[in-house]
Amino acid sequence: EALARTELFKGASPEVISAVLKVTTPITLEPGALLLSPERENSHLYLLLSGSLGLHFGAPDSPEIRRLEAGISVGEMSVFDDSPPSAYVVAKEPSRVLPLHRDLVLSLVDGNPVAHNLLRLLSRWVRANTRRILDDQAQIWELSTTANLDGLTSLYNRRWLDSALPRLLSQAQRERAPLSLLLIDVDHFKHYNDTQGHPGGDRALVALAEVLRTATRAYDLSARYGGEEFVVLLPHTPHEIGLVVAERIRSAAAAKEIRCLDGSALPKITISIGLATSSAATTDPAQLLEAADRQLYAAKAQGRNRCCG
C-alpha cells in the first residue's frame, strides 16, 4: 500500500507492484543515517515509504536545502546518467526506503505507468532547476556589483533589498514555499554611539554584520536596511525554523566581542528581532516588512534582546 502511494508507482497494477516486492525489500534508516553521498557511487533509486529525508549540499551537516517527505524518490539522476549523486541525503527521523536497483528500474520502464510517472518526475525536476538557474543568474548579477553593497558592513544595502525582496517573494509564491524575513535592530544604539563615539558604533555594526554572515545558513541573505537596522531573508523557511535562526542570531550577537581597530575592547551589544513569514496571500513585499516591523516593536516593548514572531 505504501508503494502504491508513491508518485513513481501511481496507477501501477498490483501485478507490477507485486513483481517489484519479490526482488527488493524496504530498509530502515535511523535518524542521521546517510543514504546518498557525492563520494559514493550509487546504483539505486530509493522510494521513501515513511519518515523524512534532508537534502544537503557541500556536507551532510550543512544547512538543509530541502525536506523530502514520504512518497518521493531520490537517486534518479545518478541511476540514469551513471554518475555519483550531486547532494547528501540524510534521514531526519526513523525512515523506511525501498531500494530499486538500476537494472530493475530500467526493466520497469517498458510500457507501463511507471515509465510515464518517472519521465514526469524528471521533467518536473528539470523545469524547477531551470527556473532556479534563471533566478540565480539574476542574483549573481546583483552580487557582482559593488553598488549593491553597504560601504561599512559589506552586507547588501537597501538598494539591493528593494530589488531582491520582490523577486524572492515572487519566487516563493511560484514555488509555494515560505519566505521568512527577520527585521533586526540594535538595542539602545543611540546611547552606544553617545558613550562610545561614532567609530565605536561603527565597530558594533561591523561586528553584527560578522554575526549575520556566520550565524545564518549558506542560502540566507543579509542586508543593512538603514542605520542600525538589518534585514535577513530566509528562503524556503517556515515560521518555526525562522524562529530558530532568529534565536541563533540573537544569541551570537549578545556573545560577540567588539573591538576597536587598535584591538581594545568595546561593550557588547544586544539586538531585538521581528519575524514574519509569507503566506499564499502575501504578494506585496511591504506587507512582509510591515509584519516583521510589528513583531520587532513587540520585542522592544517586552524588554528588548529577544525575538518575536
Side-chain angles (χ1 to χ4, degrees), residues 2-172:
L3 185 58
R5 288 195 297 269
T6 64
E7 291 193 55
L8 184 59
F9 279 87
K10 188 181 299 181
S13 68
E15 291 77 17
V16 169
I17 292 177
S18 177
V20 168
L21 293 177
K22 285 180 180 178
V23 295
T24 184
T25 56
I27 58 176
T28 299
L29 302 175
E30 295 300 320
L34 186 62
L35 180 62
L36 294 174
S37 164
E39 286 87 25
R40 299 196 313 228
E41 295 292 333
N42 175 52
S43 58
H44 288 81
L45 181 155
Y46 294 93
L47 293 171
L48 180 58
L49 303 179
S50 64
S52 62
L53 305 172
L55 185 68
H56 302 258
F57 289 130
D61 58 352
S62 65
E64 182 181 300
I65 299 299
R66 184 183 171 199
R67 182 63 63 96
L68 309 173
E69 305 295 343
I72 61 88
S73 57
V74 293
E76 303 98 328
M77 302 306 290
S78 58
V79 162
F80 280 97
D81 61 17
D82 198 23
S83 63
S86 59
Y88 297 88
V89 178
V90 182
K92 296 300 176 180
E93 58 184 307
S95 304
R96 293 174 69 242
V97 297
L98 184 70
L100 305 181
H101 189 270
R102 176 184 290 112
D103 294 341
L104 175 59
V105 174
L106 294 177
S107 70
L108 290 171
V109 184
D110 183 20
N112 63 61
V114 173
H116 171 78
N117 292 337
L118 185 59
L119 291 174
R120 176 176 54 83
L121 293 173
L122 290 175
S123 296
R124 182 189 302 170
W125 178 266
V126 171
R127 281 198 305 272
N129 279 276
T130 299
R131 180 69 257 177
R132 195 173 295 265
I133 288 170
L134 294 175
D135 290 332
D136 287 346
Q137 285 178 336
Q139 185 170 317
I140 288 170
W141 177 85
E142 291 167 354
L143 294 175
S144 67
T145 173
T146 56
N148 289 305
L149 298 180
D150 175 61
L152 176 65
T153 64
S154 296
L155 296 179
Y156 302 126
N157 58 20
R158 179 67 177 270
R159 177 180 184 273
W160 173 87
L161 184 65
D162 289 343
S163 170
L165 181 54
R167 176 176 58 80
L168 289 172
L169 184 57
S170 176
Q171 181 180 339

